[in-house]
Amino acid sequence: RQMCIRDRYMGYACGLKDQEKAAKTEFLNSIASSIKSIRAEGKRITGFMLVKGSYIIHFLESDSATIYEYLRKLQKDSKLPKTPYERINVLALNEEIAEDTFPDWEMDEVFQTGQVIPEGDRPDDQMLEKVWNVYSGFIKTGLKLKEKHRRDEKVSKQAWKELTSEISFGNDEISIMLSPKYMNIDDYLAIYESDLSLIHISEPTRLLSISYAVFCLKKKT
């Protein structure tokens, strides 16, 4: 399949099944290894993965072909008999960016308190605002890290940890991001791999459902 190569960023959230600490550490290391493997092939990929208890928010930047390759592997891993993934939702995408937000790729794990309760029947604009606040937190933090990288050339792991600690989200935001109202990875890839090419969404951070987004589609050549 011929693919249009564009710089893009995308974000996804996923819930994990209960795991022993050692198994979870091994799983998180495997994600880091997959990013390193992509980079070892000479492909550019940057971003940040934040792990909070049994939940992950991952912000990635690369060209569309590399992002697609990563999502296909993610989907394949989610279908394995002993997959650690409970649900994966695509939260946002933007197919054209002028430059990367993050200077590199890194991940961090923070402690989670309290219980995540499935989101109830709440106004969509309220849900969107909460998710946007989290997503914009990733972008603002990435820009700060990039500016530090310009000044210092190399950003230490401690600097990443200090700046990314500013990304704030709680159990309420987690429940919204994993809501069935958001497009899961299977639905997203079904559109991406169809004969219609998704070239624009009127509100890139609002993948709630077709009824809440204007999709611009064109026939693939």
Side-chain angles (χ1 to χ4, degrees), residues 12-19 24 27-28 48-58 107-116 134 138 164-175 177-178:
Y12 67 88
C14 55
L16 305 176
K17 297 175 181 177
D18 290 336
Q19 297 173 290
K24 184 181 177 183
F27 163 67
L28 295 177
F48 180 64
M49 184 174 79
L50 184 57
V51 184
K52 190 169 187 177
S54 297
Y55 305 93
I56 291 174
I57 301 178
H58 199 175
M107 71 173 178
D108 192 23
E109 186 172 5
V110 296
F111 187 68
Q112 178 199 356
T113 58
Q115 184 179 6
V116 174
V134 175
F138 272 79
T164 53
S165 66
E166 297 176 10
I167 300 173
S168 176
F169 66 93
N171 295 342
D172 193 35
E173 284 79 8
I174 291 171
S175 69
M177 288 185 278
L178 291 173

Side-chain angles (χ1 to χ4, degrees), residues 28-163:
L28 295 177
N29 287 338
S30 72
I31 296 178
S33 295
S34 68
I35 296 292
K36 289 178 182 177
S37 296
I38 291 172
R39 300 178 77 162
E41 295 173 4
K43 298 173 183 176
R44 178 185 51 78
I45 188 165
T46 58
F48 180 64
M49 184 174 79
L50 184 57
V51 184
K52 190 169 187 177
S54 297
Y55 305 93
I56 291 174
I57 301 178
H58 199 175
F59 181 104
L60 283 172
E61 304 169 307
S62 188
D63 61 78
S64 56
T66 302
I67 292 290
Y68 169 75
E69 175 189 334
Y70 182 87
L71 286 177
R72 286 289 291 125
K73 182 182 184 307
L74 187 64
Q75 183 191 42
K76 183 179 178 180
D77 290 346
S78 73
K79 306 299 182 187
L80 294 173
K82 294 185 178 180
T83 179
Y85 294 108
E86 194 78 64
R87 181 180 179 87
I88 305 172
N89 280 359
V90 178
L91 299 175
L93 66 118
N94 186 317
E95 294 203 2
E96 293 183 77
I97 56 176
E99 61 177 332
D100 295 336
T101 304
F102 284 86
D104 206 330
W105 184 90
E106 191 58 79
M107 71 173 178
D108 192 23
E109 186 172 5
V110 296
F111 187 68
Q112 178 199 356
T113 58
Q115 184 179 6
V116 174
I117 301 172
E119 62 87 19
D121 186 15
R122 71 180 80 195
D124 288 337
D125 57 350
Q126 187 182 104
M127 295 174 63
L128 295 169
E129 182 180 3
K130 283 182 174 290
V131 173
W132 169 249
N133 287 339
V134 175
Y135 204 73
S136 62
F138 272 79
I139 295 173
K140 290 175 183 176
T141 298
L143 291 173
K144 288 180 181 178
L145 283 162
K146 191 163 188 178
E147 180 58 32
K148 187 171 180 61
H149 181 264
R150 285 195 183 105
R151 295 195 312 266
D152 305 338
E153 293 188 3
K154 183 175 177 60
V155 183
S156 68
K157 195 173 183 69
Q158 183 59 31
W160 273 83
K161 194 172 186 67
E162 288 173 0
L163 283 171

